[in-house]
Each structure stands twice: as C-alpha cells, then as structure tokens.
Amino acid sequence: MKGFNSILATSVVLNAASTFASVLAPRQSSLPTVSVKGNAFFAGSNRFYIRGIDYQPGGSSQLADPIADAAGCARDIPEFTKLGINAVRVYSVDNSVNHDSCMNALEAAGIYLILDVNSPLYSINRQDPAPSYNAMYLQSIFATIDEFAKYSNTLAFFSGNEVINETTASTVTAPYIKAVTRDMKQYIGDRGYRQIPVGYSAADVTTNRYETAEYMNCGTDDQRSDFFAFNDYSWCDPSSYTVSGWDQKVALFSNYSLPIFLSEYGCNTHTRTFEEVASLYGPAMTPVYSGGLVYEYSQEANDYGLVTINGNSVSELPDFAALQAAYQNTSMPTGDGGYKSTGTPSNCPAQSSTWLPGNDALPAMPAGAVTYLTNGAGTGPGLKGNDGDGSQNAGGASSGTATAGSGQVTATAAAASGGTATGTGSAIASKAAAANLHMPSISLAPFVCGVVVVLSSMLGATLVL
C-alpha cells in the first residue's frame, strides 16, 4: 500500500475465528466470470473496466482479513454500493478460514475481488529472494487459490506487489516473481479451476516500470502474466491528462498486448477531486487501460482514506463525496473501448544499469511443491503461520533452472467434485545450474516512501500496506 515499501510483521491480531460465525455455502452466482481477451478484460461478451478501491481496514498496524469479517463486510458494502464500484482489492487474507459470507455479499452487490496472495510471513524477500522461493511459501500461495477459486467474483490474483522498487538491486527478484506467476497459473490449471487471471502490481517508479512490464510479458505462454498493473500517483489535482504525464504512459503502452490497469491511484498532495477519473474511463485511455483502483477505503496513518471506521460505524470523509461525484459524472465506457483483440508478446528487456536480469531463465518449482499440483495444497497457514516464523527461511528452495515451457498445464484435477488429478506437470528443472539466475551483486539502498516506512529486509517485501 501507499506509504509503505514492505512489512515487518512482529504481531498479527486476528479476530476472524470469533466474529466469523456465518458459514454459508457458495451460492449460484449472478455475476459472470471475468476473463482476458487481447489487451482487455471481458465479463461474458462485454468489455469489463475495473472501477474500484483498495480495501484493507487497519492497514499494517492492525493486519486482519477483511473478507473473513462478516460484520465488517455488512458495515462497508453499503458504502461500496453508494460509490458505485465494481471491484475491491485486498492485500492480505487468512487462507485458513472460510470466506463465503463476505464473498457472497460482495457478489450480491455486483462487486468483484482482486486479491494479493502473499502475506507478511509468506512472501518473497527482496534482499535475498532465492531462499524465500520455497515449497512452504508455495503451499500458502496455492492454499489461497484453493480458497478463492470457487467464487465467480474472484476477478484476479496478484502474484506480487511492489517487490521491485526504484533500486536496481531490487530487480534481482524479477525471475522469482515471474516464477510464482507461472506456478500459480499452472496450479490453477492442474487443479481444474477456471482460468483466473494472474499478474503483478508494480510500484510507482519510473526507473524500471516499463522493463518490468516487458519482462512480465516475455517468454513462453506459461511464463507470461495475464495482465500488468501499476500504482500511479502522478496525477495530483489540479492537473490534466497531459500535465500529469498520463498521455505519455498511454503512448508508451499503446502496443502492449496484456490488459493494464492502475492497482493504486489518487495523489493526496493537494485536495483530491479525482479529476483523473474522467480521463481513465475516457476514449483516449480505454484502448490501453482497463480502469483502476483508488487508494484507499479506510483512513490510516498516511491520510488517503475515504472513510473513518469506528467499530461498526462509518463516517464519510470529503474524499468519499469527491470520488462519488467523479464516478457519477463519468459514465462507464460503452462498446469495446478500442481494445486490441490480438497482440505480440514483449521482448525481454536487456540487462542494463537499471535492470539486472540478463535472460529469461526462471527458477524451477521447488521439488517439495510439485506434489501440490496433483494432491492439492491442503489447509493454509493463515496470517500467523503454523509456527509463527513463516516461510522465508523454511528451506526447500528451488535447486535449478526451469526448462522454458515446462509450466504448461499437463494435468487436470476434478477439483469441483473433490477428485484427484492424474498425470504430472511442473516447471521442471533443467540440468543447468541454478547459477544461471545469478545477477551482479549490488547493495540495496533503503527506499523511503511517504510518511511511514517499515523495512522488511528480514521478513520480505511482497506485501505493501
């Protein structure tokens, strides 16, 4: 989330076990599932634009799962409806509990979920990514997929969030993020789930944003993301499409073959009137962008909130009315918005002074995680973890380089009926040594962003709150 580059989770307060008393079976959905066609999202045969907000009440200081809090959902969904949104992004969930109540309530309100699958204890360590990409980590990621794949209003999964920042050294994590994306896509296919889009949420930095986008869209189909999102706070009211530089970004991504959307936006340097909403859903941007998510619903220390929360009550702040008015004054686009139905994958970026990966080699799936493709991940560890230590130093890391294309789905599980997959398939290690992934060593300078910064050199940097 804006204002934090990483998390040091020394304590996690969870009350879901006591407050989440309503366990409902998933009901028949009235919302169509969302899929990718060309460089756009579609709900059925209609172009789909994300018109949503980022939602994690409590932020990092009081980390809890908002989609496991039935009372919180009952409190907040009416506010979502007043805004007229169709999606929320949640940064962290407890994959050991049931989410039927909130997911069904969101679905009834016409709202989709975009979900980050990482958590503070189960994430890729920016400073030392190789050991943190291990079987225990993937078990948590896959368990989150198991929990949310059953809901038709699960729109997409983020494989990572702002792991790569403005420092060149942070780009060494790119192969591991991309490997996680590959593994998630294969797990979804091998377990027999529908093809839920998987992609990455990039930081609001210019030094390597485009290289990151190219990298996530290059290589074999199993390696490529289904979409690319980035956080963008460059439009600070009063501004315009050209003054903000948004026109240049649209031009830069005009030939990009994946859907693009803003995973966070809404600069608060000045009073927010959300002038950018009209441009984001206007004809200049819809051929390239598929909407975005305003940061953020609840008021936290960094002062981006639309509402303040006090127990079961909500008070709307001026930004709520401003965003509501901006949405009301901006009709959703009609037709296909000028999207491109076909496109060409990107070329992998060359190694440079700002981008360290020198080729498209990815680490193989850790051997201990391959069994999950056929047998399932089992119960997730939740936000606290099974032992409180998380996965980053759990051992069982990747021991080789994957053969390109080895992440293709080669087995299908009868997941819907509780069956077991037959056949095998995984991102298999080649004889090449894992050293093929080695990149030049550069000291990692601290990244200071916003008012509050929490460094996570020990416990990872995938989740930004």
Side-chain angles (χ1 to χ4, degrees), residues 76-97:
D76 297 330
I77 290 176
E79 298 297 316
F80 301 164
T81 303
K82 287 177 67 174
L83 285 173
I85 63 173
N86 63 15
V88 293
R89 176 193 184 177
V90 173
Y91 292 82
S92 189
V93 293
D94 183 340
N95 57 16
S96 68
V97 300

Side-chain angles (χ1 to χ4, degrees), residues 92-400:
S92 189
V93 293
D94 183 340
N95 57 16
S96 68
V97 300
N98 184 279
H99 296 83
D100 287 348
S101 182
C102 285
M103 288 300 292
N104 287 341
L106 287 169
E107 189 274 334
I111 297 172
Y112 292 85
L113 173 68
I114 301 171
L115 180 62
D116 291 70
V117 297
N118 294 274
S119 66
L121 293 180
Y122 296 84
S123 56
I124 295 295
N125 187 329
R126 181 187 295 124
Q127 290 191 322
D128 192 13
S132 62
Y133 174 64
N134 57 50
M136 181 183 288
Y137 166 65
L138 288 177
Q139 189 275 333
S140 178
I141 299 304
F142 294 162
T144 300
I145 293 173
D146 287 340
E147 173 59 21
F148 286 90
K150 61 190 174 185
Y151 304 114
S152 64
N153 58 327
T154 297
L155 193 159
F157 293 122
F158 281 128
S159 58
N161 175 47
E162 294 191 338
V163 188
I164 301 168
N165 61 24
E166 87 285 3
T167 65
T168 300
S170 68
T171 66
V172 301
T173 62
Y176 298 92
I177 301 165
K178 193 167 179 176
V180 174
T181 301
R182 174 204 64 204
D183 297 345
M184 291 173 64
K185 291 173 63 176
Q186 186 175 9
Y187 186 80
I188 289 169
D190 276 13
R191 299 305 299 158
Y193 300 133
R194 65 180 172 88
Q195 192 174 351
I196 303 169
V198 179
Y200 176 66
S201 172
D204 183 16
V205 296
T206 59
T207 51
N208 52 42
R209 182 193 295 121
Y210 192 66
E211 287 87 348
T212 302
E214 289 182 308
Y215 187 76
M216 298 303 171
N217 189 32
C218 74
T220 54
D221 286 347
D222 61 307
Q223 298 173 338
R224 296 170 57 226
S225 291
D226 296 318
F227 63 85
F228 182 72
F230 60 91
N231 304 335
D232 192 337
Y233 293 87
S234 58
W235 186 311
C236 298
D237 296 323
S239 190
S240 70
Y241 181 58
T242 53
V243 171
S244 65
W246 280 27
D247 60 328
Q248 299 173 37
K249 292 168 187 171
V250 170
L252 182 64
F253 285 105
S254 61
N255 291 317
Y256 196 68
S257 63
L258 300 179
I260 291 175
F261 66 93
L262 300 182
S263 40
E264 294 177 8
Y265 75 94
C267 170
N268 69 349
T269 301
H270 309 295
T271 300
R272 297 203 291 184
T273 56
F274 297 102
E275 297 171 345
E276 63 266 50
V277 166
S279 291
L280 185 58
Y281 301 99
M285 296 189 69
T286 57
V288 181
Y289 284 44
S290 290
L293 299 152
V294 170
Y295 190 80
E296 64 177 322
Y297 177 69
S298 58
Q299 181 76 311
E300 309 298 341
N302 50 16
D303 199 30
Y304 280 84
L306 302 176
V307 305
T308 56
I309 297 174
N310 184 13
N312 289 325
S313 65
V314 173
S315 299
E316 296 170 3
L317 296 171
D319 283 0
F320 184 98
L323 180 60
Q324 185 181 39
Y327 282 152
Q328 290 174 344
N329 293 330
T330 305
S331 300
M332 287 292 276
T334 58
D336 65 15
Y339 92 106
K340 295 179 178 65
S341 59
T342 60
T344 303
S346 302
N347 294 320
C348 292
Q351 191 175 57
S352 69
S353 61
T354 59
W355 187 260
L356 295 183
N359 53 49
D360 60 355
L362 301 181
M365 182 184 290
V370 174
T371 183
Y372 303 136
L373 298 176
T374 53
N375 299 320
T379 303
L383 287 172
K384 287 185 175 180
N386 293 324
D387 55 10
D389 293 329
S391 64
Q392 292 198 352
N393 298 303
S398 175
S399 60

